[in-house]
Amino acid sequence: MSVVIRGTGSYLPETRLTNEDLARIVETSDDWIVARTGIRERRMLASDEATSDMATRAGEAALAAAGIDAADLDLIMVACVTPDMLTPSTANLVHKNLCRGRAIPSFDMNAACSGFVYGLAVAKGMMESGDYRRTLLVGAEAMTRITDYEDRETCVLFGDAAGAVVLERSDVAGGILATTLCSDGQHSDLIQVPGCGSRRPASPEVLAERQQYLQMNGRAVFKLAVQSMEQIALDTLKKVGWTVDSLNAVLCHQANGRIVQATAERLGVSAEKLPMNIDRVGNTSSASIPVLLDECNRHGRFRAGDRLLLISFGAGLTWGAAAVEWA
Ligand code: UT7
């Protein structure tokens, strides 16, 4: 029995936030942002939109691509760090939008930018245990809601998006063959949103100190990201007995174009096997890999039997990889 990706979907909000737009807000330039990150523009959700709206749209697209009705789902999981609200979960709200009262489990997972790869591992485990045949797994983020537009180091990076897959239990070989997950809480302070949680609840002081926004030590994260993604990629390839040369595509979390390129260089992955969309969407945290996966899939990039490696890295710190044989 295998767990295969039956359909993919994604959603990008309409509004584009270009480098020129940002250069009007903070001291930066299109040249600096393109050279240091590879990003030209990112998307921003509308004032009346929230993460669950984007997640629902991506989920509907994935269900349509899979030819599966929401009534046939057994499980809904949403990976995100920007839920609509603290509770109920964003997955509960997607369930409300899609399942119209049919009682199936739904819950959120927070593993930051690694959330989607963590989600693949959790979904595969639950589906192999026998109770769940079809899962909707979404990575969705309203990163612009937690971005500090007075901090030029972070505000150039992040954008909003949602990506989704429908996973199905199958008798056909392939699908998600192996996953590897890691975290290191020692470095939890390198990327954090310190305010508006239980340690520092929302207050005028917290807001005045701008602690409701994401803070990051970009340079330290950069180094750890490249090292960790290379190592976890090699560990995962070893599990399935694949070589780097045998891969058809490597889908890296679009954290920063230079991080992706450096990781690929260390692994020896050639440019044609390294799809990228960071120039158009920026860093969309847990939505990054499923959006890229959907774009590649819709462009007909994958054939049955293709070997895909998904690699993620993010706050926590968390990192992960998944070896997927396209089925
Ligand atoms: O999603 C997973 C988690 N996040 C990441 O993976 C992000 C990891 N880090 C990064 O992407 C990069 O570290 C950044 C894009 C955040 C920063 O790029 P960098 O090449 O590491 O720049 P830096 O921090 O070393 O700064 C170089 C210079 C500094 O000026 P001085 O000290 O050399 O005079 C910064 O003040 O660039 C300056 N700088 C900027 N200049 C223009 C920093 N941000 C900007 C900016 N525009 N937006």
Side-chain angles (χ1 to χ4, degrees):
M1 198 269 298
S2 58
V3 173
V4 302
I5 296 174
R6 182 57 66 218
T8 63
S10 58
Y11 171 76
L12 299 179
E14 260 173 45
T15 304
R16 291 178 153 82
L17 190 60
T18 65
N19 292 349
E20 286 76 18
D21 294 331
L22 290 169
R24 283 191 281 274
I25 306 172
V26 290
E27 204 184 321
T28 191
S29 65
D30 178 52
D31 285 350
W32 191 96
I33 302 171
V34 172
R36 294 298 183 120
T37 71
I39 301 169
R40 293 182 185 279
E41 62 179 29
R42 62 295 284 146
R43 300 297 180 97
M44 188 177 222
L45 79 176
S47 58
D48 61 350
E49 259 182 324
T51 302
S52 69
D53 301 320
M54 295 192 291
T56 301
R57 297 282 291 272
E60 285 168 341
L63 286 165
I68 285 173
D69 196 275
D72 294 324
L73 289 173
D74 304 307
L75 176 64
I76 297 177
M77 291 166 49
V78 176
C80 70
V81 292
T82 52
D84 288 29
M85 54 191 92
L86 282 179
T87 193
S89 75
T90 306
N92 294 155
L93 300 171
V94 171
H95 176 272
K96 175 173 108 176
N97 293 340
L98 294 180
C99 295
R100 316 239 172 262
R102 209 177 119 257
I104 58 165
S106 60
F107 61 93
D108 284 1
M109 300 210 3
N110 178 343
C113 303
S114 301
F116 181 77
V117 172
Y118 269 60
L120 284 178
V122 173
K124 176 175 156 69
M126 292 180 72
M127 293 171 80
E128 284 174 348
S129 77
D131 281 346
Y132 307 98
R133 283 171 308 132
R134 295 191 182 108
T135 298
L136 177 65
L137 170 64
V138 189
E141 301 288 9
M143 293 303 290
T144 61
R145 295 280 204 258
I146 58 163
T147 295
D148 185 349
Y149 288 96
E150 290 187 5
D151 175 7
R152 68 176 182 171
E153 197 178 310
T154 54
C155 77
V156 298
L157 286 176
F158 296 104
D160 304 331
V165 292
V166 174
L167 301 172
E168 189 172 53
R169 250 183 7 216
S170 169
D171 295 328
V172 177
I176 305 164
L177 298 184
T179 57
T180 315
L181 307 179
C182 282
S183 74
D184 184 358
Q186 302 271 34
H187 294 302
S188 55
D189 58 345
L190 292 183
I191 313 174
Q192 58 179 354
V193 180
C196 298
S198 63
R199 188 160 300 282
R200 295 212 68 196
S203 69
E205 292 73 32
V206 164
L207 299 187
E209 290 165 18
R210 306 184 75 73
Q211 299 216 345
Q212 70 275 34
Y213 296 124
L214 185 144
Q215 301 173 354
M216 181 175 71
N217 179 339
R219 222 176 281 191
V221 171
F222 196 113
K223 275 192 205 141
L224 289 166
V226 175
Q227 288 161 10
S228 309
M229 291 209 287
E230 179 196 13
Q231 190 55 53
I232 207 158
L234 295 174
D235 292 347
T236 308
L237 290 177
K238 201 168 168 193
K239 282 185 187 173
V240 288
W242 292 353
T243 59
V244 170
D245 283 346
S246 75
L247 293 170
N248 298 95
V250 175
L251 284 82
C252 263
H253 165 47
Q254 306 285 291
N256 173 323
R258 285 160 54 222
I259 292 180
V260 178
Q261 301 284 5
T263 305
E265 224 164 87
R266 287 167 79 133
L267 287 168
V269 175
S270 51
E272 71 275 8
K273 292 183 180 178
L274 190 71
M276 306 229 343
N277 63 5
I278 193 165
D279 57 321
R280 290 179 289 110
V281 301
N283 180 336
T284 61
S285 187
S286 69
S288 171
I289 289 178
V291 169
L292 187 62
L293 185 74
D294 181 52
E295 289 183 356
C296 290
N297 187 24
R298 279 171 200 273
H299 283 111
R301 189 169 176 145
F302 306 138
R303 301 271 170 274
D306 273 7
R307 294 177 170 186
L308 276 51
L309 187 68
L310 281 44
I311 321 173
S312 67
F313 184 88
L317 297 174
T318 57
W319 59 108
V324 177
E325 187 180 303
W326 201 252

